[in-house]
Amino acid sequence: MIDDLRFDNQFTKSLPADFHVGTGRRQVEQACYSRVNPAAVAAPKLVAHSAEMIELLGLESAEALQPGFVEVVAGNRLLAGMDPHAACYGGHQFGNWAGQLGDGRAIGLGEVVDINGRHQMLQLKGAGPTPYSRTADGLAVLRSSVREFLCSEAMHHLGVPTTRALSLVTTGEEVVRDMLYDGNPRPELGAIVCRVAPSFIRFGNFEIFASRDDRETLQCLADFVIATEFPHIEDPTPHRYAALLREVGERTADMVVEWLRVGFVHGVMNTDNMSILGLTIDYGPYGWLDNYDPNWTPNTTDAQHRRYRYGHQANIAQWNLVQLANALYPLVEEVEPLQDAIQHYAERFQTKWSQMMASKLGLSSLDDSRDQSLADEALSVMQTAETDMTKFWRELGRVDCSASLDSVERTKPLLNSIYERESATRTQISGFVDFAERWAARQRELGVNDVERQMSMDAVNPKYVLRNYMAQLAIERAEEGDGSMVEELLDLMRRPYDEQPDRNQFSLLRPDWARTKVGCSQLSCSS
Ligand code: AMP
Ligand code: MG
């Protein structure tokens, strides 16, 4: 029974609370959060749930079908032990300090101790206004909630660190949104996702106190994060805050490398959307690369400067870490250890990126300059013709390395990844052939067994990703009251590295109609 969930609310128990209550919009000082209850909704209906997450919380998966479950994850019923609250944070948005932001439409319910003994905060996104809602309504629409729900779970199964999603409900209420910010507001279905993570603390939670010279609350928060999430940092001196930055940097580097591996573009890497645990957080106008274009950004708000484009994400993560370093400076009062931590991020990213690229190529490292050239060549050949990134890497594992094979015959699997293959020029094709030949020759030299190599490559080069058009199709159906495609994509993405022959259509190149369609190639922050 969901009523059996036991809560241990470290965050609200250990950190200072706002003295005021209620949803009145305000600047909240010297407090990490404000207590606020979710708004009741008219007619909650479960669209989908994650069976894995229900089990992680120690419940039976059939529990999701009980009426009591829906009432809880829609915010209509609070359980004993919950302590609903919205967190106070600030942030740099698109490079500029934005002041207080905070959970404007997310309400933390409380922390469940999961079956592994870890704390898991349940958080409702779209559950009504909070003191941090500013001029907005605190609500979310079905469109963006389907995207958050599916992508959180897909990322997890792809092996990318992420916050999780327990459930997706519609509220039975309408929410008005101007999807493209073009003066065409329309009513959409309201929805709530119950997100789950050990902690939702962001870089911005630190920045807000530093910006207000509130050293006391800043230290309180930093000590709390160290004690609960990084307890192995035992240094009693102020250097422990630099050690914290170093750990956050490591996790951030690892996360971004995984994004690059699977072709994910976050779309809004503001410092308020950067998790202190290195989890992918806040699925808004994110997108997946179909054709490999390092300059692509899905976010229409970012179309001009492309600050958050695919190929720039590691640099932006570093810029964000520098903001976190600035925020921690008052606790350390020395620049050097903080700078070292940033330097460590840069090195860690390079090392991990290199290992990741080697694994995608079926190599053990890129230490040999010939292997580094193969990696460079793979990334450049994909840009000589419009080439599907996911398909390219997956098919590379199927390229036959035997010496006797005709070179064009060998390259055939790779050519399947080219969009408009029929109109590819001879020069474009020969670039692919040259790459395949060089790659095969190197593999022959290394002498790895073909079957073993394919298996190891398949484990890092997914067959399926949550292509933008796929989520969009699921949204269109869900908006008509049919959640079956949400279920299907959730199930598809449970095993993204496995061949699923009856679902082969989802591994094909993006269909032509999706090339410029809203929701498939362009996404706004309106959600
Ligand atoms: P985002 O760009 O989605 O990360 O949001 C930035 C800030 O705006 C955060 O403080 C959000 O809580 C807030 N926000 C976004 N949408 C809404 C909304 N519909 N109602 C209230 N606050 C919102
Ligand atoms: Mg956010």
Side-chain angles (χ1 to χ4, degrees):
M1 282 261 294
I2 191 153
D3 296 76
D4 297 333
L5 286 178
R6 286 288 159 268
F7 292 87
D8 178 29
N9 303 315
Q10 306 181 108
F11 181 83
T12 53
K13 237 177 3 198
S14 318
L15 295 170
D18 179 8
F19 292 118
H20 302 277
V21 288
T23 59
R25 317 304 202 250
R26 56 186 180 265
Q27 290 293 308
V28 173
E29 310 250 340
Q30 292 171 311
C32 291
Y33 63 93
S34 307
R35 290 202 161 87
V36 58
N37 285 340
V41 300
K45 191 167 159 270
L46 188 72
V47 179
H49 69 278
S50 161
E52 295 88 343
M53 284 312 290
I54 294 208
E55 284 163 17
L56 184 68
L57 298 180
L59 300 171
E60 299 279 328
S61 70
E63 183 59 37
L65 307 174
Q66 301 298 320
F69 178 84
V70 182
E71 292 294 327
V72 171
V73 294
N76 280 2
R77 186 162 73 93
L78 294 175
L79 298 175
M82 283 180 170
D83 193 5
H85 64 277
C88 180
Y89 56 81
H92 280 85
Q93 298 183 312
F94 296 93
N96 304 306
W97 175 243
Q100 178 180 299
L101 297 167
D103 286 333
R105 56 157 165 185
I107 295 181
L109 295 176
E111 295 164 64
V112 175
V113 181
D114 75 15
I115 54 173
N116 304 316
R118 270 215 91 169
H119 282 71
Q120 300 286 357
M121 176 74 82
L122 307 186
Q123 189 189 68
L124 302 184
K125 184 165 175 180
T130 77
Y132 310 97
S133 300
R134 294 177 289 160
T135 56
D137 55 13
L139 305 175
V141 295
L142 182 58
R143 161 172 58 83
S144 60
S145 305
V146 166
R147 285 169 50 81
E148 171 130 23
F149 175 82
L150 282 178
C151 202
S152 317
E153 292 304 285
M155 293 284 267
H156 168 73
H157 294 294
L158 282 161
V160 186
T162 179
T163 63
R164 301 290 301 274
L166 174 65
S167 57
L168 166 64
V169 297
T170 45
T171 59
E173 295 174 4
E174 283 184 346
V175 175
V176 175
R177 286 288 181 272
D178 184 355
M179 185 166 68
L180 292 178
Y181 300 126
D182 61 357
N184 289 305
R186 67 167 177 115
E188 298 188 45
L189 281 172
I192 298 173
V193 171
C194 181
R195 313 197 282 194
V196 185
S199 165
F200 286 93
I201 297 175
R202 303 138 190 273
F203 292 10
N205 293 68
F206 292 85
E207 290 177 276
I208 190 72
F209 302 121
S211 79
R212 290 168 171 170
D213 293 325
D214 179 359
R215 194 179 177 285
E216 195 184 332
T217 317
L218 177 67
Q219 181 165 0
C220 197
L221 179 68
D223 286 337
F224 171 77
V225 169
I226 292 173
T228 53
E229 302 296 341
F230 303 96
H232 52 278
I233 301 179
E234 286 172 343
D235 186 345
T237 74
H239 281 189
R240 69 180 178 279
Y241 305 111
L244 171 63
L245 180 67
R246 187 181 162 101
E247 298 264 347
V248 176
E250 284 191 357
R251 292 191 186 201
T252 304
D254 297 356
M255 172 186 78
V256 174
V257 167
E258 296 299 314
W259 290 357
L260 300 182
R261 175 173 65 83
V262 298
F264 178 79
V265 192
H266 183 284
V268 209
M269 290 177 73
N270 294 332
T271 55
D272 55 303
N273 291 338
M274 296 293 292
S275 146
I276 208 77
L277 297 185
L279 304 172
T280 314
I281 192 171
D282 276 11
Y283 291 91
Y286 69 82
W288 295 81
L289 288 187
D290 291 309
N291 53 300
Y292 181 74
D293 173 3
N295 288 321
W296 185 68
T297 172
N299 185 354
T300 50
T301 313
D302 192 27
Q304 199 187 353
H305 300 294
R306 296 180 185 263
R307 179 178 172 87
Y308 297 142
R309 62 192 182 271
Y310 171 82
H312 201 47
Q313 297 184 107
N315 305 52
I316 290 293
Q318 179 164 336
W319 190 91
N320 289 341
L321 283 161
V322 170
Q323 307 317 309
L324 180 59
N326 289 339
L328 291 171
Y329 176 78
L331 303 181
V332 186
E333 291 183 323
E334 269 181 74
V335 173
E336 209 181 313
L338 293 167
Q339 258 168 359
D340 288 350
I342 300 289
Q343 183 60 27
H344 180 65
Y345 160 83
E347 286 161 12
R348 169 100 170 188
F349 173 77
Q350 267 313 319
T351 310
K352 287 278 183 151
W353 186 85
S354 194
Q355 282 167 0
M356 178 276 285
M357 281 304 290
S359 70
K360 286 182 89 65
L361 285 156
L363 299 166
S364 56
S365 79
L366 299 185
D367 293 347
D368 188 307
S369 64
R370 286 170 300 172
D371 294 332
Q372 180 63 54
S373 312
L374 273 176
D376 296 342
E377 200 181 340
L379 297 179
S380 71
V381 84
M382 273 195 278
Q383 294 173 73
T384 57
E386 205 180 23
T387 307
D388 191 85
M389 171 181 171
T390 305
K391 191 95 177 149
F392 177 91
W393 288 112
R394 186 75 177 186
E395 294 294 337
L396 183 62
R398 278 144 192 78
V399 167
D400 186 330
C401 297
S402 39
S404 55
L405 198 66
D406 167 73
S407 62
V408 175
E409 200 53 38
R410 182 193 318 284
T411 314
K412 270 193 177 148
L414 267 195
L415 298 180
N416 291 334
S417 64
I418 303 180
Y419 283 89
E420 296 182 36
R421 159 86 183 80
E422 318 73 51
S423 41
T425 65
R426 204 173 286 169
T427 323
Q428 286 171 326
I429 302 286
S430 74
F432 278 70
V433 171
D434 290 349
F435 166 71
E437 282 300 303
R438 244 190 299 280
W439 178 81
R442 180 69 177 140
Q443 291 295 354
R444 283 197 300 277
E445 193 181 354
L446 292 168
V448 184
N449 169 291
D450 288 347
V451 178
E452 272 174 32
R453 184 185 55 246
Q454 187 182 325
M455 273 175 53
S456 76
M457 289 175 74
D458 279 2
V460 292
N461 294 325
K463 169 105 181 182
Y464 305 96
V465 294
L466 187 68
R467 291 177 186 272
N468 313 313
Y469 87 88
M470 287 163 37
Q472 182 59 26
L473 289 176
I475 289 165
E476 287 169 15
R477 292 236 207 121
E479 285 179 339
E480 286 161 11
D482 172 6
S484 62
M485 193 164 172
V486 175
E487 289 288 353
E488 179 166 27
L489 294 182
L490 175 67
D491 197 49
L492 173 80
M493 293 311 299
R494 279 200 170 99
R495 293 179 296 119
Y497 299 98
D498 291 358
E499 299 290 326
Q500 301 182 47
D502 51 333
R503 285 164 167 166
N504 209 41
Q505 76 270 25
F506 295 125
S507 74
L508 304 178
L509 306 195
R510 167 201 59 215
D512 226 24
W513 59 260
R515 182 180 289 269
T516 51
K517 188 179 154 86
V518 171
C520 300
S521 62
Q522 301 165 36
L523 290 138
S524 77
C525 289
S526 164
S527 58

